[in-house]
Amino acid sequence: MDASSRGQEAAVGGRWGALGPVGLVLAGGVSVQFGGAIAVSAMPKAGALGIVALRLVFAALVLMIVCRPRLRGHSKADWGTVLAFGVAMAGMNGLFYQSVARIPMGPAVTLEVLGPLALSVLASRRAVNLIWAGLALCGVFLLGGGGGFSGLDPAGVAFALGAGVMWATYIVFSARTGRRFPQADGLALAMVVAAVLFVPLGLVESGDKLVRPEVLALGAAVAVMSSVLPYTLELLALRRLPASTFAIMMSLEPAIAAVAGFLVLEQALSVNEALAISLVIAASMGAVRTQVGRGQGRKAGGVVSGSAPEAVLVEAGESVPEPSGK
């Protein structure tokens, strides 16, 4: 990073630092979920795939301009990791946006969070995590109306669960990319991969709708709110916030999504859905505390550059926080 970039980063840090690290994380979470709500409201104009394509393209352009990643001097393994990271990013975003096009945001994010939660529980291999898994399953049971998902569109549920699987995959490759590339270079390159993969899908679904001024403006707004702004805020927060505090705050994403869905999209939750979201949040917080505590005890840590959408990166039984980028 050159002197100019460091100066710009210091200015940003000074401008936003007044919020405090907790305020920065909350602001990032609100930005992500309200950006998602705006994306849902824009889907009738350009379709789910079209909005995803625009978001990824604009985010890739901004990150490439800001990060200016070095393209030479990387091994085939480095590029293979970035490619896998980009594919996971594309899959995660595409499946999630297909989900919120069919079911409310609160339940969609709750189901999606099960992917990272399962990864954390499996990687930890501790008996206490069976409690958190049980809580999460109770939440899923309630979310399905007590045994089935008749109250939610089955395709929307399937897309949300698929997004959760891709999210867990994304977390693993985000960690690997962060170890191979400096700063946010790997994130920028992976975002380009995801954009290239999605542009043809967006064009097939939406065609020339994607170049309409109002659609381009909405796509740019979603990219800034759901990728660029939260990544910047959380990266600043992680310099002053304990890993456990950051990860627990990230577990609140389903609740923030439910509020965004209610305020922007008028998506009210039933009592069962609200209780289900609360149980999954509690399970996520418990698993995060267990995993982060274990990681700190083993001296496992360090922030990895990338953009995992929440919680903790879990690989080989270790936990490190990661900025959001969904």
Side-chain angles (χ1 to χ4, degrees):
M1 181 181 296
D2 57 26
S4 174
S5 298
R6 285 194 296 270
Q8 291 174 355
E9 185 176 345
V12 172
R15 191 176 302 121
W16 288 97
L19 287 173
V22 171
L24 291 173
V25 175
L26 286 176
V30 169
S31 183
V32 167
Q33 299 305 335
F34 276 81
I38 291 175
V40 174
S41 67
M43 285 177 187
K45 298 178 181 294
L49 298 181
I51 291 298
V52 175
L54 287 177
R55 174 196 162 172
L56 293 174
V57 167
F58 281 114
L61 287 173
V62 172
L63 287 171
M64 288 296 288
I65 292 171
V66 172
C67 299
R68 288 176 288 179
R70 183 168 53 87
L71 300 180
R72 295 182 179 179
H74 301 298
S75 67
K76 289 183 178 179
D78 293 341
W79 288 112
T81 301
V82 162
L83 179 62
F85 186 19
V87 170
M89 185 186 300
M92 178 185 68
N93 280 279
L95 290 169
F96 176 73
Y97 278 54
Q98 288 287 348
S99 174
V100 294
R102 294 168 171 81
I103 63 176
M105 283 187 60
V109 175
T110 302
L111 290 169
E112 188 192 23
V113 163
L114 296 177
L117 177 59
L119 179 61
S120 179
V121 170
L122 292 173
S124 177
R125 297 186 293 275
R126 297 183 67 182
V128 68
N129 278 296
L130 294 177
I131 297 174
W132 313 131
L135 269 181
L137 288 175
C138 288
V140 172
F141 182 80
L142 285 173
L143 197 60
F149 284 92
S150 57
L152 296 173
D153 183 279
V157 171
F159 281 127
L161 292 174
V165 173
M166 295 306 297
W167 189 354
T169 305
Y170 170 98
I171 286 172
V172 172
F173 282 102
S174 179
R176 294 179 181 177
T177 301
R179 288 194 293 268
R180 290 177 176 273
F181 291 83
Q183 303 298 326
D185 288 9
L187 169 66
L189 295 170
M191 192 72 76
V192 171
V193 172
V196 169
L197 290 175
F198 245 95
V199 165
L201 298 176
L203 289 174
V204 168
E205 181 182 70
S206 305
D208 59 3
K209 293 179 182 178
L210 293 182
V211 296
R212 293 177 180 174
E214 68 273 18
V215 173
L216 288 172
L218 287 169
V222 172
V224 171
M225 292 183 67
S226 294
S227 294
V228 179
L229 184 58
Y231 173 77
T232 302
L233 295 177
E234 291 165 8
L235 192 63
L236 293 171
L238 281 167
R239 294 173 179 171
R240 293 182 287 160
L241 198 65
S244 56
T245 305
F246 175 82
I248 288 171
M249 292 181 66
M250 288 290 93
S251 301
L252 298 174
E253 291 283 332
I256 299 174
V259 172
F262 176 75
L263 294 177
V264 178
L265 305 170
E266 300 182 352
Q267 296 175 340
L269 295 177
S270 67
V271 174
N272 274 0
E273 288 173 338
L275 182 56
I277 290 173
S278 299
L279 288 175
V280 173
I281 288 173
S284 181
M285 286 183 172
V288 162
R289 286 186 65 87
T290 300
Q291 193 72 352
V292 169
R294 182 189 184 203
Q296 290 174 341
R298 295 174 52 189
K299 306 296 183 184
V303 179
V304 181
S305 69
S307 65
E310 344 311 315
V312 274
L313 293 174
V314 182
E315 188 174 22
E318 299 184 359
S319 304
V320 290
E322 179 73 6
S324 176
K326 190 193 309 175

